[in-house]
Amino acid sequence: VQLQASGGGSVQAGGSLKLSCKASGMIWSTFTASRLGWYRQAPGKQRELVAELTTSGSINYQNSVKGRFTISKDNSRKTVYLQMNSLEPEDTAVYYCNVEGPYGDYWGQGTQVTVSS
């Protein structure tokens, strides 16, 4: 199983980015049975959960991104997304996707998001 993350980049504060993470080598039923998450790690800080979509369909966000970020998925494409709006310099980090499934816990390679003021 491989997770390929993309969509990072450099934007000014107030801008938007949409991250994508495609799971390859994973069958559709395993993807749909998995918890999907986006994490981030800023320099000198621990990795933190940004948003998750649980197996029951619940969606949870870190307080600092509520109302600005939206996690979603496309089961047919086995892809999870993170739409990020109203970006702030504090959102600067490497973003990682995570698929926690019945047969394993998988991580993408990380994609850099840089927000300038």
Side-chain angles (χ1 to χ4, degrees):
V1 175
Q2 287 189 325
L3 302 183
Q4 182 65 44
S6 61
S10 297
V11 296
Q12 290 191 327
S16 298
L17 286 171
K18 186 173 185 177
L19 307 183
S20 301
C21 177
K22 182 174 177 61
S24 59
M26 177 180 288
I27 63 175
W28 178 86
S29 59
T30 299
F31 183 81
T32 59
S34 299
R35 170 191 166 277
L36 308 175
W38 284 97
Y39 291 73
R40 67 186 180 188
Q41 187 167 19
K45 295 187 177 181
Q46 289 188 327
R47 189 173 297 188
E48 61 182 7
L49 176 66
V50 175
E52 66 174 348
L53 206 164
T54 71
T55 55
S56 65
S58 298
I59 295 177
N60 301 303
Y61 295 100
Q62 182 188 111
N63 284 340
S64 67
V65 308
K66 284 181 180 177
R68 300 189 297 121
F69 291 10
T70 303
I71 187 171
S72 63
K73 66 174 180 174
D74 184 335
N75 287 331
S76 66
R77 297 178 184 271
K78 292 181 286 184
T79 300
V80 57
Y81 303 98
L82 186 68
Q83 176 68 47
M84 305 185 294
N85 299 327
S86 302
L87 282 161
E88 303 170 352
E90 293 73 23
D91 297 317
T92 295
V94 178
Y95 284 70
Y96 299 88
C97 55
N98 171 243
V99 175
E100 186 179 315
Y103 307 111
D105 190 12
Y106 307 98
W107 291 87
Q109 83 282 12
T111 184
Q112 177 71 45
V113 172
T114 303
V115 185
S116 58
S117 58

